[in-house]
Amino acid sequence: MSRFQALSPASRAIVLMIAAIFCFTAMDATAKALTPRVGLVPTLWARYAGQTLVVLVMVAHRMPGILKTRYPKLQAMRSAFLLVATGCFFVGIANIGLAQATAIMDVNPVLITLGAALFLKERLGPRRLFGIVAALIGAMIVIRPGGDVFSPYAIFPLVAAACYSGYALATRFVGRDEDVWTSLLYTGLFGSVVLSILLPGAWVRPDAQSLALMGTLILFGTLSQLLLIKALSQGEAGLIAPFAYAGLIFASIWGMIFFDEFPDLWTIIGALVIAGAGIYVWHRETRA
């Protein structure tokens, strides 16, 4: 038995979540580099169509059984949530710093915690309520509405966080009964169909560097979704959600290395408030 398999289900879920967040931030950095070269719709199309193609190749031997789902409407809804979340976030990172956008996006764990209590009947105690309020305050520190440095594009990661929370909760629900590959296939298939309809009017012929970026986007996009689905199928949404804050570290590193972006003091303070709130909730709840 491998060391990973020897871990408890909760520990495996945490490891899978951190790996998923690493891949998500790598995908985001790739999308930030690709979007100015080919545009938003082709970037999104490469992300979804590539994932769908990879998954179809990997599950071809299980067709058509892998297409069977007990929750067709819920699968469509979770896919729509993720498509809107991805689109909004890509718009955000194309116009503001990667670390800033990620910090705003990282209010989603507390939104997931709230949604898990409302819709999945998971616990919601005073500590989690405190975490929700504190994280939202942190988001306002990063966004600074009404301030001199406020950008309307900062709203897009916030909308993305809300939509992503809906996706994660729906994934958690269907993950109890559905095959991981079924959920992964439907996630990409819905976005591929919608974006393929929009693509002809937005297509820009990619050069060699853009093609390489598209390939990287496909790789990290597919890995991130698979790891996330596996994590949510093995652990409570409220337990693993705080580990999404590892993305603040990864995004800051990508931003500094590839885009010469250094988060300002208020972004760092807001990010620390958001991360601190989530980690506090996780620590207190797991001790309890």
Side-chain angles (χ1 to χ4, degrees), residues 7-32:
L7 296 174
S8 67
S11 296
R12 288 200 300 269
I14 290 169
V15 172
L16 289 166
M17 184 65 173
I18 294 173
I21 296 305
F22 175 86
C23 291
F24 268 120
T25 56
M27 178 191 71
D28 294 337
T30 305
K32 184 177 178 66

Side-chain angles (χ1 to χ4, degrees), residues 104-190:
I104 299 169
M105 179 70 175
D106 273 352
V107 302
N108 78 79
V110 290
L111 298 181
I112 292 171
T113 300
L114 177 61
L118 294 175
F119 302 111
L120 302 182
K121 307 304 179 185
E122 295 181 9
R123 293 180 298 115
L124 180 63
R127 297 183 184 92
R128 291 186 176 183
L129 285 173
F130 167 79
I132 291 168
V133 173
L136 292 177
I137 291 174
M140 291 301 102
I141 293 174
V142 176
I143 297 173
R144 280 162 281 173
D148 294 336
V149 297
F150 170 72
S151 168
Y153 289 106
I155 301 300
F156 284 89
L158 192 59
V159 175
C163 293
Y164 178 80
S165 300
Y167 161 78
L169 291 168
T171 298
R172 171 67 178 160
F173 183 84
V174 302
R176 298 167 176 172
D177 304 303
E178 298 276 65
D179 189 294
V180 169
W181 289 100
T182 299
S183 293
L184 189 59
L185 178 59
Y186 278 107
T187 299
L189 193 60
F190 179 88

Side-chain angles (χ1 to χ4, degrees), residues 44-62:
L44 287 169
W45 177 82
R47 184 253 182 276
Y48 280 92
Q51 174 183 317
T52 303
L53 180 61
V54 170
V55 174
L56 283 172
V57 170
M58 297 182 72
V59 301
H61 64 288
R62 298 177 58 186

